[in-house]
Amino acid sequence: MGNLTVINHPLVQHKLSILRNKKTGTKEFRELVHELAILLGYEVTRDLPLEDVDIETPVAVAHAKQLGGKKVGVVPILRAGLGMVDGIMSLIPAAKIGHIGLYRDPETLEPVDYYCKLPTDASEREMIVVDPMLATGGSAVAAINALKRNGCKGIKLVCIIGAPEGIEKVQSAHDDVDIFIACVDERLNDHGYIVPGLGDAGDRLFGTK
Ligand code: PRP
Ligand code: URA
């Protein structure tokens, strides 16, 4: 079973509360998603392997560390995942970015895929999938399926809010994937929205409603 890490850092929880508020406007919502992505990104990169390196400082040689091992790819699930990309990329600027386009059919709640463009060397990279919302889990499972079809291993999923149903679905479909999340909410409502959640993340990010 992949690990579920709930990041209950005070800054994460504080920012999440403002994000949930229906009075928070698009500009602030976007800034908060960006800031949360940095804070979650700090945790998701915690186990990146290091290698030894000697660095000449102005004073002496420092026996130091630098990132080693596999390179990283960041994969937002469109649209809302786009809001998390810059935050993660500010931590690992050498990462490459893939895009997976999915939307939920409002009737069936099943993900409909419309786009997939990954780095050509995706199968050689650690892939970090980002999406603020993990509701039924259908979109995340479909995105991870797409990565695995392209030969990716070592996949992590980073979300802001999840429903228990979605977490369970990802864990049972992909028991090798670690999930990093700011909060696990109570449940889904009849329309597949997370309760209490924050509403429609894509619409709130891009001002489309
Ligand atoms: C939202 C969200 C996730 C998905 C989660 O996207 O950003 O991708 O729903 O729901 P699920 O876990 O039940 O699949 P949406 O389908 O609204 O598309 P959008 O971001 O383009 O608005
Ligand atoms: N997608 C969202 O944006 N919000 C939800 O609550 C569920 C799916």
Side-chain angles (χ1 to χ4, degrees):
M1 175 77 71
N3 289 322
L4 172 69
T5 304
V6 180
I7 296 152
N8 51 14
H9 188 288
L11 291 177
V12 170
Q13 296 308 313
H14 180 81
K15 288 175 193 297
L16 178 57
S17 298
I18 307 170
L19 192 72
R20 289 183 189 275
N21 192 328
K22 65 179 182 187
K23 293 185 183 147
T24 298
T26 299
K27 177 175 179 286
E28 197 181 0
F29 191 92
R30 246 194 327 258
E31 289 166 355
L32 287 160
V33 168
H34 173 79
E35 291 161 10
L36 282 162
I38 296 172
L39 292 165
L40 299 178
Y42 179 79
E43 291 297 332
V44 78
T45 52
R46 188 177 277 286
D47 67 350
L48 287 181
L50 291 170
E51 60 189 22
D52 296 327
V53 61
D54 285 346
I55 303 285
E56 276 189 46
T57 80
V59 179
V61 172
H63 303 298
K65 303 281 182 192
Q66 66 183 12
L67 291 173
K70 279 164 82 178
K71 293 182 181 146
V72 177
V74 177
V75 182
I77 302 179
L78 309 183
R79 291 175 300 164
L82 287 173
M84 299 177 71
V85 172
D86 287 351
I88 305 265
M89 291 301 290
S90 67
L91 300 175
I92 40 172
K96 286 191 177 167
I97 305 171
H99 293 86
I100 294 183
L102 294 167
Y103 70 87
R104 280 198 325 180
D105 181 299
E107 299 299 321
T108 65
L109 301 182
E110 289 297 318
V112 181
D113 65 294
Y114 59 90
Y115 193 72
C116 181
K117 183 80 178 175
L118 301 176
T120 47
D121 59 354
S123 63
E124 290 152 37
R125 290 176 180 263
E126 298 269 355
M127 297 304 254
I128 302 176
V129 178
V130 296
D131 190 333
M133 308 305 278
L134 179 60
T136 65
S139 302
V141 167
I144 296 164
N145 285 341
L147 291 181
K148 288 189 173 174
R149 276 198 302 276
N150 282 273
C152 299
K153 295 176 212 81
I155 301 167
K156 291 174 178 163
L157 174 65
V158 186
C159 302
I160 296 178
I161 301 180
E165 296 90 327
I167 290 166
E168 212 175 293
K169 184 161 183 157
V170 172
Q171 286 180 328
S172 58
H174 297 293
D175 66 0
D176 54 331
V177 172
D178 292 336
I179 303 173
F180 296 77
I181 203 155
C183 192
V184 180
D185 273 7
E186 287 164 27
R187 62 186 170 87
L188 297 177
N189 68 15
D190 294 343
H191 305 287
Y193 275 84
I194 299 174
V195 180
L198 51 69
D200 188 305
D203 284 342
R204 294 196 67 185
L205 260 177
F206 298 112
T208 40
K209 210 174 251 174

